[in-house]
Amino acid sequence: MRIPSSTRVGIVGGGPAGLLLARLLRGAGIDCVVLESRDRTYVEQRQRAGILEQATVDVLRSCGAAGRLDQEGMAHDGIELRWDRRTHRIDFPGLTGGRRVRVYAQTEVVKDLIALNLADGIPVAFGAQVLAVEGADTERPVVRYGLDGGEQTLTCDYVVGCDGFHGVTGRSVPESVRTTYERVYPYSWLGVLAEAPPSCDELIYAHSPRGFALHSMRSATVSRLYLQVPNGTDPADWSDERIWDELDARFAVEGDWKLRRGPITQKAVLPMRSSVTEPMRYGAVFLAGDAAHIVPPTGAKGLNLAVADVTVLAAALTERYAHGSARLLDAYSDSCLRRVWRAEHFSYFMTSTLHTDPDQSDFETRLQISQLDRIATSPHASAELAENYVGPPIG
Ligand code: FAS
Ligand code: PHB
């Protein structure tokens, strides 16, 4: 595919944020280019999120990217919390006036967006390593990138950094105007993909003295599971049997529920971090998704926040080009950060309530148990969790 040397909006990163932004801009008749450093196969296979909020589903539908999601996505009306061999179900529709979530893997969202964008002729360059974004404080910022052994430039009206936590676009925001708020957690997640039918129709979030565990799924035959492990854990130290035995111990509950086992096909350790970079805009450069903020995956917010950011930004760019007004562009950072900080707090709440910090005191453990008891016995506490989990409308 020929990549032009100039465009209206240069998008750095071809993950969900960059790919969806490109699709929304194309729908508004705004030319853009996506520059992705990895190859297509790598981006499509990268195991990540699994839960889509209703607002995310609505946006994907609005731009014609929900065909397979509507066929294969699994609507979920609740989650189960487990602790102290007890269980409590959070009823999303009952507590939020009908809202629910869908299980549909990020890998599938990315595959759908790439196929649709390429079919519509949106320039998506794979193997394009962005080296720098220059002139952020000018009217014609330039993206410098390497492709096929040579160096190219892309001159833009605007550049949007959708290049994730380790991206380069954020560096074009001078340190003098940039503030990063961060918390690194004293544990990580060992995530596994197993050829085992889900052991429950819904997700199970389990608190245990041995550490947190999460039961999720990808289909009727594939389970997605996570367990809290020390930072620096090597996945190779965890045999299939050790993983299943540990999950069994952490999901233990009264009654005859049984964890269904099967061959584990993927194992990876991912660190847990909360991080927000403010502002999410500097001059002609905008940040969206993980390039601007990171949440621990306990609240299933990362992908959904990325979708919300680019939906707000696409509307702002549409107003700019259709009506010549920069009003929404000027409001982008503040309006996104309100949603971001709400999701940061919820993700921190779910993580600190459900995980067992190796250095925590017995007093802190009792506080966690008390919080879980409160959720189980108070419809207001359950509703607060449900509202945050299903997420607010976008805009
Ligand atoms: P992404 O990181 O997905 O995409 C950024 C893209 O930019 C990548 O494709 C990268 O290759 C590219 N890029 C980077 N630097 C570049 C450069 N210099 N030039 C060109 N391209 C460049 N969220 C959940 O809600 N639930 C989960 O269970 C969950 N699990 C996760 C597991 C892991 C291991 C990680 C890292 C994240 C997880 N997340 C989860 C969060 C995740 O889903 C992100 O929120 C989501 O990928 C955000 O999408 P993007 O902002 O597009 O960033
Ligand atoms: C997943 O299915 O990958 C998943 C679901 C919920 C989470 C985190 C990950 O909170």
Side-chain angles (χ1 to χ4, degrees), residues 12-19 35-38 42-43 46-51 106 110 128-132 145 161-169 189 214 218 224 226 268-271 288-306:
V12 182
L19 293 165
L35 300 172
E36 166 54 48
S37 55
R38 300 285 191 159
Y42 179 90
V43 173
R46 193 170 39 195
Q47 276 303 324
R48 284 195 169 166
I51 297 292
Q106 176 172 321
V110 167
Q129 177 77 29
V130 169
L131 307 169
Y145 64 98
C162 297
D163 44 352
F165 182 67
H166 302 289
V168 298
T169 311
W189 275 13
L214 170 59
R218 288 292 177 265
R224 177 71 165 153
Y226 299 92
V269 172
L270 63 109
D290 278 18
H293 40 72
I294 296 287
V295 285
T298 328
K301 290 296 160 197
L303 172 56
N304 295 296
L305 280 178

Side-chain angles (χ1 to χ4, degrees), residues 40-363:
R40 178 173 179 177
T41 303
Y42 179 90
V43 173
E44 290 185 342
Q45 300 302 318
R46 193 170 39 195
Q47 276 303 324
R48 284 195 169 166
I51 297 292
L52 305 185
E53 295 176 4
Q54 185 61 51
T56 294
V57 173
D58 294 345
V59 172
L60 292 170
R61 280 189 183 139
S62 75
C63 63
R68 211 155 59 93
L69 162 58
D70 283 334
Q71 294 295 319
E72 299 173 17
M74 295 173 275
H76 276 212
D77 284 355
I79 57 172
E80 186 182 326
L81 301 178
R82 282 193 189 172
W83 72 100
D84 211 10
R85 298 186 66 81
R86 298 170 54 195
T87 180
H88 175 71
R89 182 173 182 271
I90 303 288
D91 168 17
F92 292 149
L95 291 163
T96 65
R99 296 173 72 79
R100 51 169 50 132
V101 296
R102 268 175 189 70
V103 175
Y104 188 70
Q106 176 172 321
T107 49
E108 305 318 297
V109 174
V110 167
K111 284 174 193 167
D112 296 342
L113 287 169
I114 289 174
L116 287 164
N117 285 358
L118 293 179
D120 288 351
I122 297 172
V124 180
F126 293 101
Q129 177 77 29
V130 169
L131 307 169
V133 175
E134 292 156 354
D137 54 353
T138 71
E139 295 203 345
R140 295 293 284 166
V142 174
V143 180
R144 268 192 314 111
Y145 64 98
L147 181 65
D148 299 334
E151 190 168 303
Q152 314 286 340
T153 59
L154 178 67
T155 303
C156 314
D157 292 345
Y158 299 101
V159 175
V160 184
C162 297
D163 44 352
F165 182 67
H166 302 289
V168 298
T169 311
R171 294 181 210 148
S172 65
V173 181
E175 290 203 3
S176 56
V177 302
R178 183 170 24 136
T179 305
T180 296
Y181 304 87
E182 189 156 271
R183 173 187 170 86
V184 178
Y185 294 83
Y187 35 75
S188 297
W189 275 13
L190 170 60
V192 303
L193 211 52
E195 285 174 4
S199 308
C200 177
D201 292 342
E202 295 176 332
L203 274 62
I204 304 170
Y205 288 78
H207 172 283
S208 96
R210 303 171 68 101
F212 169 79
L214 170 59
H215 165 276
S216 185
M217 60 202 71
R218 288 292 177 265
S219 69
T221 59
V222 177
S223 292
R224 177 71 165 153
L225 300 122
Y226 299 92
L227 62 158
Q228 172 191 333
V229 292
N231 286 333
T233 291
D234 180 350
D237 293 343
W238 283 78
S239 67
D240 288 20
E241 188 181 7
R242 183 185 177 194
I243 290 171
W244 287 118
D245 289 347
E246 188 60 33
L247 287 168
D248 257 333
R250 297 186 187 189
F251 286 123
V253 68
E254 297 306 327
D256 57 1
W257 179 84
K258 191 168 166 43
L259 181 63
R260 302 165 81 172
R261 301 190 177 201
I264 287 175
T265 55
Q266 281 192 34
K267 275 183 259 194
V269 172
L270 63 109
M272 308 280 279
R273 175 192 309 270
S274 299
S275 171
V276 179
T277 294
E278 295 185 1
M280 292 171 57
R281 176 207 187 165
Y282 177 73
V285 170
F286 293 81
L287 301 176
D290 278 18
H293 40 72
I294 296 287
V295 285
T298 328
K301 290 296 160 197
L303 172 56
N304 295 296
L305 280 178
V307 168
D309 289 348
V310 298
T311 302
V312 170
L313 186 53
L317 287 164
T318 300
E319 183 185 73
R320 155 71 178 78
Y321 285 111
H323 307 295
S325 162
R327 179 178 61 87
L328 292 181
L329 282 176
D330 294 343
Y332 166 75
S333 184
D334 287 347
S335 61
C336 285
L337 284 169
R338 277 191 293 275
R339 185 189 192 95
V340 166
W341 278 110
R342 173 83 314 266
E344 288 286 348
H345 181 273
F346 177 65
S347 303
Y348 164 77
F349 167 77
M350 288 288 278
T351 303
S352 52
T353 301
L354 289 164
H355 288 69
T356 304
D357 179 334
D359 299 327
Q360 78 183 43
S361 64
D362 292 345
F363 174 78

